[in-house]
C-alpha cells in the first residue's frame, strides 16, 4: 500500500495534521479527486488509515496500531541480523 509516492504523501499529511477531510487532502495534490479517493481506499483497505463519515464529508487519520506494527517490522528488517539470512527451507 505504501509503494506509491502519493500514498506515502497522504500518510505524511495525516501524521502532520492528525486528521483531514478527503476533499482537503485531494486539494494537496495536482490530481483528480477520484484519483486521491482511490489512493485513500487502498490505504484504508490496508488498515493504514481510518475513515469516518461526518455528514457528507469523510474524515481520515492514520491508524496508530498499524503504524506501530509497521515500525516494528521495519526495525526488525534493519536491526535484526537473523531476519534476512536465507532459511534452510529456501535451499
Amino acid at each position: 500500500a505504501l509503494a506509491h509516492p502519493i500514498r506515502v504523501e497522504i500518510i505524511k499529511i495525516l501524521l502532520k495534521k492528525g486528521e483531514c477531510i478527503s476533499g482537503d487532502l485531494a486539494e494537496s495534490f495536482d490530481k483528480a479527486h477520484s484519483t486521491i479517493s482511490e489512493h485513500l481506499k487502498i490505504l484504508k483497505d490496508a488498515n493504514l488509515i481510518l475513515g469516518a463519515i461526518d455528514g457528507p464529508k469523510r474524515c481520515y487519520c492514520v491508524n496508530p496500531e498499524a503504524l506501530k506494527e509497521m515500525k516494528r517490522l521495519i526495525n526488525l528488517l534493519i536491526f535484526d541480523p537473523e531476519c534476512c539470512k536465507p532459511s534452510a527451507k529456501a535451499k
Side-chain angles (χ1 to χ4, degrees):
L2 291 174
H4 196 286
I6 288 177
R7 294 193 286 269
V8 172
E9 191 61 31
I10 288 171
I11 295 290
K12 285 182 183 178
I13 291 168
L14 291 175
L15 285 170
K16 183 177 179 182
K17 293 186 175 190
E19 62 181 34
C20 200
I21 304 294
S22 59
D24 294 342
L25 277 168
E27 290 177 9
S28 300
F29 299 92
D30 187 23
K31 302 286 180 193
H33 284 233
S34 60
T35 300
I36 302 306
S37 290
E38 183 60 28
H39 287 296
L40 289 167
K41 180 184 180 322
I42 291 167
L43 290 168
K44 191 170 180 195
D45 288 348
N47 202 32
L48 293 173
I49 64 172
L50 304 171
I53 298 172
D54 182 18
K57 300 175 183 176
R58 292 180 188 248
C59 186
Y60 292 95
C61 65
V62 172
N63 179 348
E65 292 304 314
L67 205 59
K68 280 187 218 176
E69 179 62 9
M70 238 179 10
K71 182 178 179 181
R72 185 189 73 76
L73 291 171
I74 289 170
N75 283 333
L76 180 70
L77 289 171
I78 294 170
F79 299 113
D80 184 354
E82 297 298 314
C83 171
C84 299
K85 285 185 179 179
S87 68
K89 292 180 186 177
K91 292 182 179 181

